[in-house]
């Protein structure tokens, strides 16, 4: 083969690899029902570690980033606690000792929030982790998510949390004055909630405090909305005022908040299952009270919408969209991406495949440079799909664009 033909062969091989060559690497598939991933550098080595709750397995695990030489192998991990019906896990310094701990939310037939206190060192020794139930959470509701936030400006970090079902509410746990006062945590309800899917924080009205942005997929306050922080004081312990952003009366799922078009103003991007679309919500003024909503049709080759995230996938300086779905009974593409240059005029046919075609139950897609090569990879969990399916577990898809 002469040099010219060799270059042509290499070029088209590269294009094919760049479009369809997402290689999947397993971090862990040893348990059942991996349900979401959260990132933080718990051992302070400059690399992001992972915590995941395994719902059917009834455990919460920590994964330490192994470094670049072993990043494509199974990651070193430890079970930090037994957590029946765990729905989500997140890093947070619960006892205000300067070290990150892990908090697990559990739902049906458990309805507790577990705290896993981290050791000073030797994170991979399960005996070094201490677990307890947050008493103020016990049997209150089916807990879905919790996120750390300093709400009242006092003591340690507080927890904003919410759940689902008839008892579902959104609120926050007030941290006690004494660091290890387990009984001292107090729960304050601030809104109704049918089935929370996302909790994020932004100063939506530019008044200097953090507001709470949520998606609620079922009845009542269904849609994406933000709750206005009333400011430090007793009013924070009462109901907060809600302002809708988009997806009203739709079964909204996960959301992403990012400056999609590079104009310095963040958009709220949501997925929803009523019409199977992605919705890009753009604020019309600084108040956060008026929003425009652009609809992107999701192709029939994917499954039911689950999550959307924003990042520059192909390195062209334009923000793209990454979509994860549940493919139900059919074999479809569960993970795909949309070039940001095609967002305005896409009909849904422009989505490009990341994962293979199979039955999948993907969770929220997280974009992060796992292998430190300068591009965004996709970190995700794939849960069970059927009684005899254990799913892919915790995996990451290596970005082929260089």
């Amino acid at each position: 083969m002469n040099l010219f033909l060799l270059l042509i062969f290499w070029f088209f091989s590269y294009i094919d690899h760049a479009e369809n060559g997402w290689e999947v690497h397993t971090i862990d598939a040893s348990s059942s029902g991996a349900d979401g991933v959260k990132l933080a550098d718990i051992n302070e080595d400059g690399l992001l570690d992972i915590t995941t709750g395994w719902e059917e397995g009834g455990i919460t695990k920590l994964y330490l980033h192994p470094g670049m030489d072993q990043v494509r192998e199974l990651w070193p991990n430890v079970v930090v606690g037994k957590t029946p019906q765990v729905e989500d896990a997140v890093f947070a310094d619960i006892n205000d000792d300067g070290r990150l701990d892990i908090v697990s939310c559990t739902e049906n037939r458990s309805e507790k929030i577990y705290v896993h206190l981290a050791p000073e060192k030797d994170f991979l020794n399960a005996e070094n982790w201490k677990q307890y139930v947050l008493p103020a959470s016990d049997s209150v509701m089916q807990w879905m998510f919790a996120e750390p936030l300093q709400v009242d400006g006092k003591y340690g970090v507080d927890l904003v949390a919410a759940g689902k079902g008839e008892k579902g509410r959104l609120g926050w746990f007030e941290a006690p004055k004494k660091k290890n006062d387990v009984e001292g945590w107090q729960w304050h309800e601030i809104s109704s909630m049918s089935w929370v899917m996302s909790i994020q924080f932004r100063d939506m009205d530019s008044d200097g405090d953090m507001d709470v942005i949520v998606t609620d997929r079922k009845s009542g306050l269904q849609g994406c909305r933000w709750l206005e922080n009333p400011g430090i004081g007793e009013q924070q312990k009462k109901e907060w005022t809600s302002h809708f952003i988009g997806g009203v009366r739709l079964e909204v799922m996960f959301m992403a908040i990012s400056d999609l078009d590079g104009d310095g103003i963040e958009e709220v991007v949501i997925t929803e299952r009523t019409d199977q679309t992605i919705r890009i919500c753009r604020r019309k003024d600084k108040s956060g009270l008026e929003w425009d909503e652009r609809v992107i049709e999701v192709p029939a080759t994917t499954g039911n919408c689950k999550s959307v995230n924003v990042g520059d996938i192909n390195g062209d300086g334009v923000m793209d969209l990454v979509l994860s779905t549940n493919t139900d009974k059919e074999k479809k593409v569960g993970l795909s991406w949309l070039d940001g240059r095609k967002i305005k005029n896409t009909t849904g046919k422009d989505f490009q495949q990341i994962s293979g075609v199979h039955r999948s139950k993907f969770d929220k897609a997280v974009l992060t440079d796992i292998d430190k090569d300068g591009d965004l990879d996709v970190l995700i969990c794939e849960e069970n799909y059927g009684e005899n399916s254990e799913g892919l577990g915790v995996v990451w898809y290596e970005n082929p664009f260089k």
Side-chain angles (χ1 to χ4, degrees):
M1 182 180 296
N2 62 40
L3 181 60
F4 176 75
L5 292 177
L6 183 62
L7 289 173
I8 293 294
F9 175 79
W10 173 87
F11 175 77
F12 282 104
S13 296
Y14 172 80
I15 293 298
D16 178 68
H17 174 74
E19 292 295 325
N20 303 299
W22 292 79
E23 185 176 357
V24 61
H25 305 287
T26 300
I27 290 173
D28 184 26
S30 63
S31 190
S32 179
D35 203 354
V37 291
K38 297 291 175 64
L39 298 172
D41 182 8
I42 192 171
N43 58 355
E44 299 182 338
D45 64 352
L47 301 171
L48 292 177
D49 310 302
I50 300 169
T51 186
T52 298
W54 293 78
E55 186 171 0
E56 282 75 18
I59 55 175
T60 295
K61 300 186 77 172
L62 166 69
Y63 303 90
L64 295 183
H65 194 298
M68 297 310 112
D69 292 341
Q70 296 178 302
V71 71
R72 295 172 182 81
E73 309 299 327
L74 298 177
W75 288 23
N77 62 79
V78 62
V79 176
V80 300
K82 294 183 178 180
T83 49
Q85 300 297 311
V86 60
E87 181 62 30
D88 189 65
V90 67
F91 293 100
D93 182 5
I94 290 299
N95 56 356
D96 197 25
D97 64 355
R99 296 194 301 272
L100 288 174
D101 308 299
I102 295 175
V103 177
S104 298
C105 291
T106 66
E107 52 167 330
N108 190 30
R109 301 187 302 277
S110 180
E111 300 189 1
K112 299 176 179 65
I113 292 180
Y114 290 86
V115 173
H116 317 280
L117 294 179
E120 291 186 25
K121 56 184 179 179
D122 197 8
F123 294 98
L124 296 179
N125 186 341
E127 294 182 357
N128 290 343
W129 287 83
K130 307 302 179 184
Q131 174 178 299
Y132 64 83
V133 173
L134 200 63
S137 73
D138 197 354
S139 302
V140 173
M141 71 182 82
Q142 297 184 58
W143 297 102
M144 294 290 288
F145 299 102
E147 294 288 345
L149 177 69
Q150 178 52 262
V151 178
D152 58 3
K154 299 188 298 184
Y155 317 131
V157 70
D158 307 299
L159 281 176
V160 177
K164 69 176 184 180
E166 293 181 359
K167 298 187 293 183
R169 295 292 186 273
L170 171 70
W172 60 284
F173 289 95
E174 179 183 354
K177 183 177 182 178
K178 296 182 179 179
K179 291 183 179 182
N180 295 304
D181 181 9
V182 177
E183 300 286 342
W185 286 82
Q186 297 181 47
W187 168 244
H188 307 295
E189 294 182 4
I190 61 174
S191 179
S192 298
M193 179 64 66
S194 295
W195 190 332
V196 67
M197 289 300 297
S198 291
I199 300 175
Q200 294 197 43
F201 310 122
R202 291 290 193 281
D203 184 0
M204 297 295 287
D205 49 6
S206 302
D207 65 351
D209 55 29
M210 282 295 176
D211 306 300
V212 180
I213 307 99
V214 296
T215 53
D216 189 346
R217 66 182 289 188
K218 291 297 182 181
S219 59
L221 295 172
Q222 189 179 34
C224 179
R225 58 190 165 100
W226 65 277
L227 290 93
E228 184 176 349
N229 191 331
I232 292 175
E234 287 301 307
Q235 188 58 40
Q236 282 188 322
K237 301 176 182 180
K238 302 175 183 179
E239 185 168 344
W240 294 16
T241 302
S242 287
H243 307 284
F244 273 97
I245 294 173
V248 180
R249 293 185 294 277
L250 300 177
E251 187 180 1
V252 294
M253 303 299 286
F254 287 111
M255 69 175 165
I257 303 176
S258 181
D259 182 5
L260 184 59
D261 54 12
D263 65 351
I265 302 173
E266 287 188 319
E267 283 75 42
V268 178
V269 188
I270 60 178
T271 51
E272 60 84 20
R273 287 188 173 179
T274 304
D275 300 322
Q276 297 295 352
T277 64
I278 295 172
R279 308 269 169 147
I280 300 175
C281 305
R282 176 181 168 81
R283 65 164 67 222
K284 297 171 67 175
D285 58 22
K286 292 183 179 180
S287 72
L289 301 180
E290 299 291 334
W291 296 80
D292 284 328
E293 190 170 316
R294 180 191 301 163
V295 179
I296 296 178
E297 300 291 338
V298 172
T301 53
T302 66
N304 298 317
C305 291
K306 188 64 178 283
S307 83
V308 63
N309 215 330
V310 178
D312 183 5
I313 294 299
N314 56 357
D316 64 355
V318 177
M319 301 298 271
D320 310 304
L321 299 180
V322 172
L323 171 70
S324 71
T325 68
N326 298 163
T327 62
D328 200 14
K329 297 180 180 180
E330 299 182 59
K331 293 183 178 181
K332 294 184 177 181
V333 178
L335 191 59
S336 57
W337 73 283
L338 176 64
D339 191 324
R341 297 183 184 277
K342 299 180 179 180
I343 287 176
K344 290 184 178 180
N345 300 313
T346 186
T347 60
K349 297 180 180 180
D350 298 313
F351 282 81
Q352 300 177 57
Q353 178 178 326
I354 294 177
S355 69
V357 177
H358 62 286
R359 292 183 68 205
S360 60
K361 189 179 180 183
F362 282 117
D363 202 76
K364 183 177 181 179
V366 176
L367 307 185
T368 182
D369 187 3
I370 292 180
D371 52 3
K372 296 295 183 181
D373 65 351
D375 55 29
L376 291 174
D377 307 300
V378 181
L379 172 66
I380 201 163
C381 282
E382 202 266 300
E383 295 185 72
N384 296 16
Y385 228 134
E387 295 180 358
N388 299 319
S389 170
E390 293 189 353
L392 297 175
V394 185
V395 298
W396 65 282
Y397 288 83
E398 185 174 354
N399 191 328
F401 293 94
K402 302 298 182 184

